[in-house]
Amino acid sequence: MSLQKGNVQRTRPQKHRNHTVFKNSLHDTSNRTKLINSIQVSDVCMRCKDIIDWKIKYKKYKPLSQPKTCVKCGQKSVKQAYHVMCSDCSKKLGVCTKCCQKKEIVPGPPTKNEQIKLDNEMKALLQSLPERRRRTFLRYMDKLAKQKKQEGDELKDKDSEKNDLMDKLKELKISEDDDDDDFDDSEDGQSSNSDNDEKQD
Ligand SMILES: [Zn+2]
Ligand SMILES: [Zn+2]
């Protein structure tokens, strides 16, 4: 019996379950899909970014064949699909290029120079950490990389990954400054960082 009437609370587990995360490039290795997968959605609010990212992930994304007219300046300056406003207007007004609302906007990818600067900053921070913290960080980096791999996101979001890493570094740096007396670091092994405790396979 598959369905008991009125029984909303399911007692048995779902029969058919995906064993792996959906990956749009599993059976499709075309350049078009690769290209679309590498798009970094920016100049939009978080909500619109999610919507467009969803389209990319589930292969609903249709790139523009030619620039669209911006709703603000009337120029053919909209280069990203699903955006209705050009980046320039969006920056001037501080609004999302898709829903045109004044919200927090996801910035575009950093320039080469910014990337180099960030890399150097990260290296310096890492160097300044004590050995134990450094290992915590490397473990975190590993975990993040594995996660990305599982989600099939290796190509994409290199920058957001870097931001995550940077945040983690800063966090370690800050906690380093104020936890000297809180616990004894002399013993290795059991990390007291709760976010490293979850087991993943
Ligand atoms: Zn415009
Ligand atoms: Zn929006």
Side-chain angles (χ1 to χ4, degrees), residues 32 101 129 148 198:
R32 185 190 142 96
Q101 286 178 44
L129 290 176
K148 293 266 164 192
E198 317 129 56

Side-chain angles (χ1 to χ4, degrees), residues 44-49 96-101 103 105:
V44 289
C45 68
M46 229 22 234
R47 184 166 178 271
C48 291
K49 182 177 173 8
C96 168
T97 54
K98 185 174 179 295
C99 66
C100 302
Q101 286 178 44
K103 286 198 206 161
I105 306 300

Side-chain angles (χ1 to χ4, degrees), residues 123-145:
K123 263 182 220 150
L125 254 173
L126 190 58
Q127 226 104 76
S128 71
L129 290 176
E131 177 67 21
R132 194 178 59 93
R133 295 271 163 184
R134 210 177 307 163
R135 260 180 287 156
T136 306
F137 176 73
L138 293 176
R139 268 202 306 272
Y140 177 79
M141 212 165 107
D142 247 25
K143 191 178 138 187
L144 210 67

Side-chain angles (χ1 to χ4, degrees), residues 26-190:
L26 193 60
H27 303 292
D28 179 357
T29 51
S30 69
N31 279 331
R32 185 190 142 96
T33 298
K34 264 187 214 151
L35 196 73
I36 292 177
N37 277 340
S38 71
I39 291 174
Q40 293 199 9
V41 182
S42 58
D43 298 326
V44 289
C45 68
M46 229 22 234
R47 184 166 178 271
C48 291
K49 182 177 173 8
D50 283 347
I51 294 171
I52 299 176
D53 277 339
W54 185 91
K55 285 182 196 288
I56 293 174
K57 184 166 185 196
Y58 294 104
K59 295 179 83 164
K60 310 275 183 203
Y61 187 92
K62 290 193 189 72
L64 284 181
S65 50
Q66 54 182 17
K68 265 196 324 189
T69 309
C70 168
V71 292
K72 200 70 208 170
C73 63
Q75 306 281 315
K76 285 220 176 269
S77 47
V78 181
K79 292 177 184 108
Q80 301 299 327
Y82 309 104
H83 294 191
V84 299
M85 197 187 281
C86 70
S87 315
D88 286 348
C89 290
S90 138
K91 278 189 190 113
K92 255 180 254 161
L93 300 163
V95 298
C96 168
T97 54
K98 185 174 179 295
C99 66
C100 302
Q101 286 178 44
K102 239 190 167 69
K103 286 198 206 161
E104 205 181 315
I105 306 300
V106 179
T111 62
K112 261 262 161 329
N113 275 337
E114 282 170 335
Q115 270 179 37
I116 293 168
K117 205 177 141 226
L118 193 67
D119 276 349
N120 287 338
E121 247 175 87
M122 263 174 77
K123 263 182 220 150
L125 254 173
L126 190 58
Q127 226 104 76
S128 71
L129 290 176
E131 177 67 21
R132 194 178 59 93
R133 295 271 163 184
R134 210 177 307 163
R135 260 180 287 156
T136 306
F137 176 73
L138 293 176
R139 268 202 306 272
Y140 177 79
M141 212 165 107
D142 247 25
K143 191 178 138 187
L144 210 67
K146 262 184 217 149
Q147 236 169 26
K148 293 266 164 192
K149 216 166 189 167
Q150 262 177 8
E151 290 164 8
D153 269 358
E154 303 125 278
L155 281 172
K156 217 167 115 171
D157 269 0
K158 276 267 174 249
D159 303 307
S160 86
E161 186 181 322
K162 246 180 213 163
N163 284 338
D164 282 357
L165 291 176
M166 198 64 182
D167 286 347
K168 183 71 182 176
L169 263 177
K170 282 181 185 152
E171 183 191 309
L172 285 169
K173 181 75 184 154
I174 293 164
S175 50
E176 177 219 338
D177 293 337
D178 58 27
D179 76 349
D180 302 77
D181 316 306
D182 287 353
F183 54 88
D184 186 11
D185 320 341
S186 57
E187 248 181 349
D188 189 38
Q190 296 305 313

